Amino acid sequence: EVQLVESGGGLMQPGGSLRLSCAASGFTFSTYGMSWVRQAPGKGLECVSTISDSGTTTPYADSVKGRYTISRDNSRNTVYLQLNSLTAEDTAIYYCARARVAGTGSYYMDVWGKGTTVTVSS
Amino acid sequence: EIVLTQSPGTLSLSPGERATLSCRASQSVGSSSLAWYQQKPGQAPRLLISGASSRATGIPDRFSGSGSGTDFTLTISRLEPEDFAVYYCQQYGSSLTFGGGTKVEIK
């Protein structure tokens, strides 16, 4: 069974840092891109970053550029998202998703984890 | 950046009725690179459609996608109780952006 399990969320102080993890199973992890998509309370979906199978990263959200870093460890079948300089606007559910590359070079997401919640508050 | 506008914001229908959801792009989406997702309360999104019209594995055939260029449509031919949810479109023709969503609620 294809599965993605996120972890690492929690309650954080403004200005803090956090690393989210997503453990993948049931497919050949090293051959797929992976994305992190977030959803603020009561809001829509926002893709924050994608990493290709070969490790090329693409940040999508201007609000996180320079603060978030996506990475992957194919030996552990795990993708990470490092979040720095957190603000209240980073409060969201963070979903890990398997990213399918299209001929355009961009991605859509065909498998999603259940998400991990990040709350930033003093 | 391609901006996706979904309409209506909320669609109130009864089980058995037909649902028609619209997703309009601010510029042409290359290669019909548009996906649709369903999200139920408290759950992660689920891929329904990619390539504007290709159903994902396990998606019932009452869901269909159509369109090209700047205008795309998701149609649910006959609403089942489990179809009441929020639906998002996403373009991947140029970078990646999501629409704001359409909520399909029980009338």
Side-chain angles (χ1 to χ4, degrees):
Chain A
E1 179 192 5
V2 175
Q3 195 170 12
L4 299 172
V5 179
E6 303 95 334
S7 60
L11 176 61
M12 301 299 297
Q13 298 256 354
S17 296
L18 194 62
R19 189 176 82 158
L20 307 181
S21 301
C22 170
S25 60
F27 64 99
T28 306
F29 178 76
S30 61
T31 65
Y32 285 88
M34 298 296 295
S35 293
W36 286 95
V37 178
R38 70 179 180 180
Q39 186 170 37
K43 302 296 186 183
L45 302 172
E46 178 184 40
C47 185
V48 295
S49 194
T50 293
I51 186 165
S52 71
D53 58 344
S54 61
T56 302
T57 64
T58 305
Y60 291 108
D62 288 342
S63 60
V64 309
K65 287 178 182 175
R67 297 192 302 119
Y68 288 14
T69 303
I70 190 171
S71 61
R72 66 189 297 159
D73 184 342
N74 288 344
S75 68
R76 296 179 183 270
N77 288 353
T78 300
V79 61
Y80 304 98
L81 186 68
Q82 178 71 37
L83 294 70
N84 297 328
S85 304
L86 289 165
T87 73
E89 285 66 46
D90 296 312
T91 294
I93 299 173
Y94 287 75
Y95 296 102
C96 167
R98 190 172 74 174
R100 302 297 299 269
V101 65
T104 60
S106 191
Y107 300 88
Y108 64 93
M109 293 75 175
D110 69 339
V111 178
W112 295 67
K114 295 185 187 301
T116 187
T117 299
V118 174
T119 303
V120 183
S121 175
S122 55
Chain B
E1 175 182 290
I2 296 179
V3 176
L4 299 179
T5 302
Q6 292 189 240
S7 61
T10 302
L11 198 51
S12 298
L13 295 168
S14 300
E17 290 194 292
R18 181 184 187 91
T20 303
L21 288 66
S22 173
C23 176
R24 179 160 291 176
S26 60
Q27 55 189 281
S28 183
V29 176
S31 304
S32 295
S33 299
L34 191 106
W36 289 93
Y37 302 87
Q38 176 193 66
Q39 187 178 34
K40 298 179 182 179
Q43 296 186 18
R46 177 175 71 146
L47 176 69
L48 297 176
I49 301 281
S50 63
S53 61
S54 298
R55 276 188 301 275
T57 303
I59 301 303
D61 61 7
R62 64 181 180 272
F63 291 91
S64 63
S66 63
S68 64
T70 61
D71 290 299
F72 298 88
T73 300
L74 176 70
T75 302
I76 311 170
S77 59
R78 287 179 38 167
L79 282 164
E80 298 288 340
E82 62 268 28
D83 299 337
F84 291 91
V86 179
Y87 293 83
Y88 294 95
C89 58
Q90 177 232 325
Q91 68 81 22
Y92 50 98
S94 174
S95 189
L96 185 166
T97 49
F98 286 94
T102 290
K103 181 179 181 181
V104 179
E105 66 174 23
I106 299 177
K107 186 174 182 180

